[in-house]
Amino acid sequence: TTIHDQKLQRGEGGELHQTASGSTAVLTSAQGGPVSDDQNSLRIGARGPTVLEDFHFREKIFHFDHERIPERVVHARGYGAHGYFETYESLAKYTRADIFQRAGEKTPAFVRFSTVAGNKGSADLARDVRGFAVKLYTQEGNWDIVGNNMPVFFIQDAIKFPDLIHAAKAEPNSDFPQAQTAHDNFWDFISLTPESMHMIMWAMSDRAIPRSLRFMEGFGVHTFRLLNAKDESTFVKFLWKPKLGLQSVAWNEAVKINGADPDFHRRDLWDAIHAGNFPEWELQLQLFDQAFADSFDFDILDPTKIIPEEVLPPIAVGRLVLDRMPDNFFAETEQVAFMTQNVPPGVDFSNDPLLQGRNFSYLDTQIKRLGSTNFTHLPINAPKCPFHTFQQDGHMAMRNPVGRANYQPNSWDEGPRESPQKGFRSFAEAEAGPKARLRPESFADHYSQARQFYISQHPVEQGHIASALTFELSKVQTPVIRERIVSHLLNIDDALARKVADALGLKAMPKPADAAAPTRTDLPA
Ligand code: HEM
């Protein structure tokens, strides 16, 4: 950055002014009117009142007064970068999505990493899940893979999401803690929600305090479908593998870094990309069919379960490179709107009840947060392929239909038309059953994969999980909540449960939690 010599002049009041000269542009209002004096409001006499007529002052202050928009209701703190996705080879056998048809094809991408629970100003190294949201500007519209750095989730049904998030965020009366999981409300909810146990093992592991955003994995979490040109379906899980590998900090490092530099992760990404060290991830897919899905005790629609990579090795299908920071944080990183329902033809949803709920939630929240149905007109959200709709008007409309026809069918031979061949088609899954609030038995096992994760960890990492649980639960004031968590841990690993119970000074070991968690497969009487 060059620091230019500033030409300063004294104004009538003696204050210093920087005036336009040479290549410096003339300051204007938002209407384009040149401004003569940006430092003194219009007054009657040097010591008199400011006049209502001062339109320049009004515009400047009004615009400032409206600078803030609501922060995201979750994932408020985030940091993004531009880049591209490069397809390794054609996946036409599995999907008709244009992005996967040609080897070497590059698709522009924008990625936003985030923490979940903390507010916009919270510290980067809070123990938390990290969002890993990827927007791919494909030739068939935007495809958003709105994932996390952990492959499972706390709950099995989106209807519980408001409760989970209320419990995880600051308590409503005290408005703290703002970015830590260590509080009674969070652990109360968890202790009463056994399906969260697998995710809790991940959240208490070193994965929750990554060394850098560049050293994290990403997961689409849910099972999705790929559909080929014949509309044949293959189930798929999306995984992002960092070229740099996985690294985390230790908890005492995280605490110190948060104090010394709460922007640690942002700074790291900014510095790396500006230095030309472009972070890279490989997109890997776990592909399987219905027979394979049926071979498990658990349900592939249950977002608290993974398909172990040693059982179903992922295949690499492309790479994601981040090579450019946004020019403006607000315009791009803050206004980017990810939505799980943004999928191109050839990618489809499964019946995972968490995914189904998310597909509803994201459009709703974007309209609220960005303030207009026209948030897709913002450059960061607009498709980079040709697009034509009959949508019109609304606040801040910048892309109204051109010409006479703003409806179809019409007789004017104007406007866009549907395309049964090119358009999005859902997989024609046969559905039947009673309309009721049911939970399948295949969603009932909450401990096996939690155990599998725990025993897959190195003893040092297991020690970190025990310490994290002890630290978190030591902040919980209500004894029965601590006991309930230990009772769940007893169903995961006996030694872990005892270690945590001892460290917390529990007087007696509780009984293991009832592993036959309640499910509702029957209809109410
Ligand atoms: C935001 C991931 C579950 C509602 C986000 C973001 C990510 C994410 C990465 C941040 C996007 C960004 O960077 O702008 C996930 C994952 C989930 C999950 C991986 C489970 C597997 C849910 C559920 C709901 C939900 C169940 C509601 C039913 C929201 C909302 C936002 C959000 C409202 C804020 C969006 C915004 O204002 O831009 N989620 N989420 N999420 N998520 Fe989720």
Side-chain angles (χ1 to χ4, degrees):
T1 310
T2 321
I3 309 285
H4 295 286
D5 274 347
Q6 304 292 353
K7 287 212 175 61
L8 295 171
Q9 293 175 356
R10 293 262 171 218
E12 282 171 18
E15 73 287 346
L16 290 170
H17 287 262
Q18 296 177 332
T19 51
S21 65
S23 60
T24 321
V26 174
L27 180 72
T28 70
S29 71
Q31 306 285 350
V35 171
S36 63
D37 180 343
D38 193 40
Q39 301 202 49
N40 294 296
S41 49
L42 190 62
R43 274 166 238 165
I44 309 294
R47 300 181 58 249
T50 303
V51 297
L52 192 60
E53 185 186 317
D54 190 348
F55 59 86
H56 175 58
F57 169 79
R58 286 205 315 269
E59 186 199 78
K60 185 175 178 183
I61 295 297
F62 283 8
H63 201 280
F64 169 77
D65 290 343
H66 291 252
E67 277 181 10
R68 296 290 171 273
I69 62 168
E71 63 175 36
R72 287 168 175 80
V73 62
V74 283
H75 296 260
R77 183 170 180 79
Y79 213 50
H82 294 272
Y84 61 88
F85 176 78
E86 186 176 353
T87 304
Y88 286 163
E89 55 195 275
S90 170
L91 290 179
K93 186 176 159 204
Y94 298 109
T95 174
R96 68 185 179 103
D98 179 76
I99 187 174
F100 289 127
Q101 300 309 301
R102 293 163 297 278
E105 168 133 348
K106 287 188 179 174
T107 302
F110 186 80
V111 177
R112 183 175 180 271
F113 303 105
S114 49
T115 51
V116 178
N119 59 27
K120 193 167 177 281
S122 55
D124 279 349
L125 261 162
R127 174 175 295 284
D128 201 349
V129 184
R130 296 298 180 292
F132 193 122
V134 182
K135 191 179 281 293
L136 299 163
Y137 301 91
T138 85
Q139 286 307 305
E140 295 170 323
N142 295 346
W143 178 20
D144 297 348
I145 306 179
V146 197
N148 281 338
N149 74 329
M150 298 177 192
V152 286
F153 203 65
F154 294 98
I155 48 172
Q156 295 172 318
D157 188 321
I159 199 168
K160 296 185 182 200
F161 192 70
D163 299 298
L164 166 71
I165 299 303
H166 287 178
K169 284 198 163 241
E171 298 187 357
N173 50 357
S174 64
D175 201 36
F176 67 83
Q178 64 144 326
Q180 303 288 350
T181 48
H183 62 120
D184 283 42
N185 275 8
F186 177 74
W187 287 100
D188 182 33
F189 178 83
I190 293 300
S191 73
L192 297 168
T193 310
E195 71 205 49
S196 66
M197 281 305 132
H198 186 194
M199 181 65 164
I200 283 295
M201 287 293 112
W202 286 80
M204 293 301 113
S205 81
D206 296 340
R207 302 256 181 167
I209 40 174
R211 151 79 182 78
S212 142
L213 303 169
R214 298 179 291 140
F215 294 86
M216 296 193 318
E217 289 186 326
F219 300 91
V221 180
H222 315 279
T223 298
F224 288 81
R225 286 178 186 278
L226 296 181
L227 301 181
N228 65 16
K230 291 187 209 150
D231 287 335
E232 293 162 339
S233 157
T234 307
F235 288 122
V236 61
K237 293 232 177 212
F238 299 110
L239 300 83
W240 298 102
K241 300 284 180 179
K243 198 173 173 189
L244 293 171
L246 277 173
Q247 281 188 25
S248 295
V249 296
W251 175 242
N252 65 1
E253 292 174 320
V255 173
K256 286 178 203 152
I257 292 169
N258 275 341
D261 182 6
D263 302 312
F264 187 73
H265 282 162
R266 296 185 161 195
R267 200 181 305 287
D268 173 83
L269 192 65
W270 174 275
D271 288 347
I273 291 182
H274 278 106
N277 296 326
F278 302 141
E280 193 173 319
W281 285 261
E282 192 158 68
L283 177 62
Q284 300 187 355
L285 307 182
Q286 284 181 302
L287 295 165
F288 55 102
D289 59 15
Q290 188 67 55
F292 184 83
D294 294 341
S295 70
F296 294 112
D297 293 338
F298 63 85
D299 201 320
I300 55 122
L301 301 181
D302 175 356
T304 69
K305 304 297 184 296
I306 58 164
I307 299 180
E309 291 176 30
E310 58 274 19
V311 176
L312 181 58
I315 57 161
V317 298
R319 66 186 190 120
L320 172 74
V321 180
L322 298 183
D323 60 2
R324 182 165 63 87
M325 291 309 295
D327 293 329
N328 184 277
F329 174 84
F330 184 88
E332 295 157 83
T333 308
E334 197 59 14
Q335 293 197 124
V336 67
F338 293 95
M339 306 198 288
T340 48
Q341 64 272 40
N342 283 355
V343 291
V347 179
D348 197 4
F349 313 110
S350 71
N351 287 345
D352 176 339
L354 196 70
L355 176 60
Q356 297 275 324
R358 293 180 74 196
N359 286 345
F360 169 79
S361 174
Y362 286 85
L363 176 59
D364 180 41
T365 201
Q366 302 307 356
I367 294 171
K368 153 80 186 176
R369 181 170 73 85
L370 297 169
S372 165
T373 47
N374 291 323
F375 69 88
T376 52
H377 297 189
L378 297 169
I380 193 69
N381 295 323
K384 296 193 194 297
C385 61
F387 62 104
H388 313 277
T389 76
F390 288 118
Q391 294 169 7
Q392 67 173 28
D393 302 356
H395 288 293
M396 310 293 169
M398 280 173 276
R399 290 176 180 274
N400 271 359
V402 177
R404 174 178 185 171
N406 56 356
Y407 63 93
Q408 58 89 12
N410 69 61
S411 308
W412 319 124
D413 202 20
E414 270 192 18
R417 294 285 186 266
E418 305 161 0
S419 167
Q421 293 77 32
K422 293 186 178 163
F424 178 87
R425 294 187 300 270
S426 300
F427 179 63
E429 193 169 11
E431 306 286 5
K435 189 199 289 179
R437 297 182 186 274
L438 302 176
R439 184 147 54 141
E441 252 160 35
S442 52
F443 276 44
D445 172 9
H446 304 319
Y447 300 107
S448 304
Q449 289 210 349
R451 183 179 318 119
Q452 227 170 19
F453 175 74
Y454 182 70
I455 59 182
S456 74
Q457 299 287 290
H458 185 277
V460 173
E461 295 170 310
Q462 291 184 343
H464 289 171
I465 293 176
S467 304
L469 282 162
T470 306
F471 173 84
E472 297 281 324
L473 294 171
S474 70
K475 307 284 172 206
V476 169
Q477 308 294 319
T478 317
V480 68
I481 298 176
R482 296 179 178 193
E483 286 161 21
R484 272 193 227 133
I485 297 291
V486 172
S487 73
H488 289 301
L489 296 178
L490 281 166
N491 288 339
I492 297 171
D493 186 89
D494 198 65
L496 171 66
R498 282 175 201 285
K499 201 167 170 184
V500 173
D502 284 352
L504 290 172
L506 248 61
K507 290 201 183 74
M509 261 328 248
K511 284 202 191 100
D514 181 5
T519 52
R520 278 277 302 281
T521 50
D522 55 327
L523 293 175

